[in-house]
Amino acid sequence: FVPFSFDFPRSIGNVSTASMLKRECGAEWTKRKRCGCTCASTCWPLNYLHMNRFRTLKLWQMFATDPYLRRFDFVMSMDADLFLIQTLTEDPLALIGEKQCAFLTGSNHREAPGCYEGYKESALQFATLHPDLQTFPERVQKLEPGMSFWGGFTVANARFFRRQAHLKFADYINELGTIYTKRWNDQTHWLLSIALLHERGLSAVC
């Protein structure tokens, strides 16, 4: 196991975590530790919101800095409630390596209303704030509202996501606090990251 520290975004901490989340989510936060209540008319448990912070930022910080994890080029994940009902015809790790993709997933899907509003605009704002980075806002503009990756079974190219450009973008999104207050998730983040930070010579998705 590779240990890591976990914390709320600095922006939330700076205004008092409890007061910000209480203001956004009221009794759902104070009594049940749930927030992100605009998403799909559901208030989401803290552990789920922490997971989105981990999978958008903390995981890639670890792969960028830990000497052991830096040895690996790809990260495969599978949800605990996913069942493979037939034999895989191709090795997903070999496939993403051979085709040189940033990401491998089963399909795209559309997020529910209330779960993504403002995410795309924040990616475009990041590009405006960072003229020092090579970004492709025109690719983000082409994405349909709410478009997202399916996250049940994925392989991510660690070389793409541990780049400083992505770490800066992920930190920017996390510091907005909206992963907690609006339940912005990892699946939308992956898609926006690949569109915004397109790397020449690397296919977007296998």
Side-chain angles (χ1 to χ4, degrees), residues 9-10 32 59-60 66 74 79 153 188 195-196:
R10 296 183 302 277
R32 301 179 182 87
L59 174 66
W60 305 116
D66 184 87
F74 304 104
D79 285 356
F153 181 88
T188 306
L196 182 65

Side-chain angles (χ1 to χ4, degrees), residues 89-109:
T89 57
E90 294 186 79
D91 181 338
L93 290 169
L95 181 65
I96 193 174
E98 290 167 5
K99 293 194 173 184
Q100 286 298 293
C101 304
F103 205 78
L104 183 150
T105 182
S107 63
N108 293 343
H109 78 280

